[in-house]
Amino acid sequence: MYVVYCQSGKEMSVVRQLAEKDITAYAPRRLVMERRFGKWVRREIFLFSGYVFLDCPDLTPDTWQTVKNCCGTVRILSRSQLSPTEEEYISFLCNGGHALGISRGYISDGALHITDGFLRKFEHKIIRYNRRGKRATADVTIYGRHYEITLGCEFDVPPATPLISSGAAKNIP
């Protein structure tokens, strides 16, 4: 997998142009909840604005020429492939070309616990969360640089913890 830098806002255009030329490319997107005129609405946003990921085993001169001739492409970031760990992260973030959905979780003792969704695999990488903004931020490394990705997350009420008293378990509401 290789990373191509393109003009911001032209990511999906570059992906479509490459698909027409039989080159698999992705521009990872996420769904987030935003307040618009007092109501929560879902919005689709690019995870890495200005970046397109090529899913090809080798970057041949013909492939690079094809990529370079796409309208909106600026340059390739590196002629070396991503490391296996980074490639696994990015492949997971690309989600087969679909936008990443909104995860669900709860806060217990100041820590965010993910119960469902994409962030469940990256729970150990979460560095902060915003309950009011319905978002959580995780740390991802690409080409040795750390990037923070913010994903949508809805917060539930933490599950009731049983109270053990004199041998009987009770739920506390």
Side-chain angles (χ1 to χ4, degrees):
M1 190 171 279
Y2 297 90
V3 184
V4 175
Y5 184 64
C6 62
Q7 294 174 354
S8 185
K10 301 262 185 173
E11 297 91 345
M12 289 310 293
S13 172
V14 170
V15 169
R16 277 192 294 274
Q17 291 175 55
L18 291 171
E20 290 172 1
K21 297 172 183 174
D22 295 326
I23 298 174
T24 305
Y26 300 104
R29 301 176 317 274
R30 64 190 165 118
L31 288 174
V32 293
M33 298 295 287
E34 288 186 345
R35 296 259 322 178
R36 297 280 175 159
F37 304 107
K39 295 184 180 185
W40 287 100
V41 293
R42 288 180 185 229
R43 186 170 159 216
E44 199 171 285
I45 300 173
F46 289 105
L47 274 176
F48 304 105
S49 181
Y51 295 96
V52 171
F53 297 89
L54 300 178
D55 192 10
C56 58
D58 293 322
L59 189 63
T60 63
D62 292 335
T63 305
W64 171 236
Q65 195 63 35
T66 303
V67 171
K68 195 169 89 169
N69 289 336
C70 288
C71 181
T73 301
V74 176
R75 65 184 170 92
I76 193 162
L77 280 185
S78 176
R79 295 223 180 248
S80 62
Q81 280 193 331
L82 294 172
S83 72
T85 306
E86 293 171 340
E87 190 169 336
E88 182 184 338
Y89 284 147
I90 296 302
S91 295
F92 199 62
L93 290 172
C94 289
N95 197 25
H98 302 289
L100 296 171
I102 296 174
S103 299
R104 298 190 74 78
Y106 65 92
I107 299 169
S108 176
D109 297 328
L112 177 59
H113 302 281
I114 303 298
T115 56
D116 187 35
F118 171 78
L119 279 171
R120 190 166 189 179
K121 186 171 183 177
F122 287 93
E123 186 172 353
H124 64 287
K125 294 233 174 229
I126 295 174
I127 52 177
R128 67 179 170 272
Y129 57 86
N130 180 346
R131 182 179 213 148
R132 184 172 178 262
K134 297 186 178 186
R135 298 175 188 195
T137 303
D139 179 58
V140 175
T141 306
I142 303 170
Y143 285 131
R145 292 182 59 195
H146 291 276
Y147 292 91
E148 293 182 358
I149 57 169
T150 303
L151 301 169
C153 185
E154 292 184 347
F155 298 90
D156 298 325
V157 177
T161 55
L163 175 66
I164 299 174
S165 173
S166 65
K170 298 178 185 174
N171 282 333
I172 300 174

